[in-house]
Amino acid sequence: MSRLSEFEDRVGGALEGAFAGVFRSPVQPVELARALGKAMDDGRSVGVGKVYAPLGYTVALSREDADIFGSFSATLSGELSTFLTGHAREHRYHLVSAPHVAFTVHDDLRLGRFRVSAELAAPDPAQVLAPEPEFAHAPGDDFAGVRATGPGSGLATVTVGDLSLDVALAGDRVEVGRLATSGIQLNDANASRAHAAFVRDRDGWAIEDLDSTNGTLLNGVPVDRAPLVDGDVVEIGVTRLTYHESGR
């Protein structure tokens, strides 16, 4: 079974279940998956010994289609991210974190029309607007289509290794490790599958070791959990992750 067929079966199951009778958009999920896979191919970047895939994807819909998608957009965003992760693995593209898919509305689009775009960095929830209430999620949901609100809504970022790529810290917890489902996935044999996590608390972000085999260093010192300030360097295996506070 092809990857697109697997995706269609999974999404079809969701449509026949919780969203049965709700989803009636002429924009079909498999069309979005096919277009996003092509956007990943077109946006890939060749590095030293690796081909890097884009991490941020935006799907522009007509206002009518956005209304029809409604609450199904969160489920579809997750399924499309899973599809893109598999697409990258199949083509041997390197991902430094899981792909993020955001939905937005373009008023120039007619019903049934859509556009996709890809960026190397993950989409910033503070800049991608959810124009209708149907796209809103509860605070803490890790969904790139939600606008950050309130004081301190700017995103902190992490620069991974020597890449000129910053990964946005969205939600309240971003895990780091070798697992494909990690928010920041490392191709580092010295890192554990689930090695550490960036965790948001009242005062900002902290780094927390997840009982890893080789431990987590903060500015060269082993830590179990410690608060972060701008410019701190977290070492996981042989990978350095530099923390940047929002607005820096």
Side-chain angles (χ1 to χ4, degrees), residues 95-112:
L95 293 170
V96 298
S97 70
H100 291 265
V101 180
F103 290 93
T104 189
V105 167
H106 283 190
D107 287 325
D108 64 317
L109 291 172
R110 303 193 310 273
L111 180 70

Side-chain angles (χ1 to χ4, degrees), residues 128-196:
V128 179
L129 305 184
E132 298 296 338
E134 288 83 359
F135 278 81
H137 287 68
D141 283 355
D142 187 9
F143 174 54
V146 178
R147 179 191 303 195
T149 58
S153 62
L155 290 181
T157 59
V158 173
T159 302
V160 181
D162 297 324
L163 301 176
S164 57
L165 174 64
D166 287 347
V167 178
L169 297 179
D172 294 321
R173 182 182 180 89
V174 178
E175 292 197 358
V176 186
R178 291 189 289 106
L179 288 173
T181 54
S182 299
I184 300 177
Q185 184 185 9
L186 302 182
N187 185 19
D188 184 337
N190 295 291
S192 297
R193 289 162 56 82
H195 194 110

Side-chain angles (χ1 to χ4, degrees), residues 23-40:
F23 187 79
R24 292 291 183 270
S25 172
V27 176
Q28 293 302 302
V30 70
E31 295 176 342
L32 297 179
R34 185 180 292 110
L36 288 168
K38 184 177 186 304
M40 174 178 278

Side-chain angles (χ1 to χ4, degrees), residues 41-222:
D41 295 338
D42 292 344
R44 66 190 186 275
S45 176
V46 179
V48 179
K50 294 178 182 176
V51 177
Y52 294 95
L55 298 178
Y57 299 83
T58 302
V59 177
L61 300 170
S62 70
R63 191 165 296 275
E64 294 84 357
D65 284 310
D67 289 341
I68 297 170
F69 269 51
S71 58
F72 179 64
S73 60
T75 298
L76 183 56
S77 176
E79 291 294 349
L80 288 168
S81 176
T82 299
F83 168 79
L84 287 169
T85 299
H87 185 82
R89 184 180 299 114
E90 182 178 351
H91 290 78
R92 298 185 178 180
Y93 300 153
H94 184 66
L95 293 170
V96 298
S97 70
H100 291 265
V101 180
F103 290 93
T104 189
V105 167
H106 283 190
D107 287 325
D108 64 317
L109 291 172
R110 303 193 310 273
L111 180 70
R113 300 282 185 172
F114 66 90
R115 284 194 293 266
V116 302
S117 59
E119 301 289 342
L120 280 178
D124 184 341
Q127 297 176 359
V128 179
L129 305 184
E132 298 296 338
E134 288 83 359
F135 278 81
H137 287 68
D141 283 355
D142 187 9
F143 174 54
V146 178
R147 179 191 303 195
T149 58
S153 62
L155 290 181
T157 59
V158 173
T159 302
V160 181
D162 297 324
L163 301 176
S164 57
L165 174 64
D166 287 347
V167 178
L169 297 179
D172 294 321
R173 182 182 180 89
V174 178
E175 292 197 358
V176 186
R178 291 189 289 106
L179 288 173
T181 54
S182 299
I184 300 177
Q185 184 185 9
L186 302 182
N187 185 19
D188 184 337
N190 295 291
S192 297
R193 289 162 56 82
H195 194 110
F198 290 93
V199 182
R200 190 200 298 270
D201 56 29
R202 288 188 307 173
D203 300 319
W205 286 89
I207 187 68
E208 178 181 317
D209 185 75
L210 302 179
D211 295 324
S212 63
T213 301
N214 295 318
T216 300
L217 304 181
L218 175 60
N219 299 323
V221 179

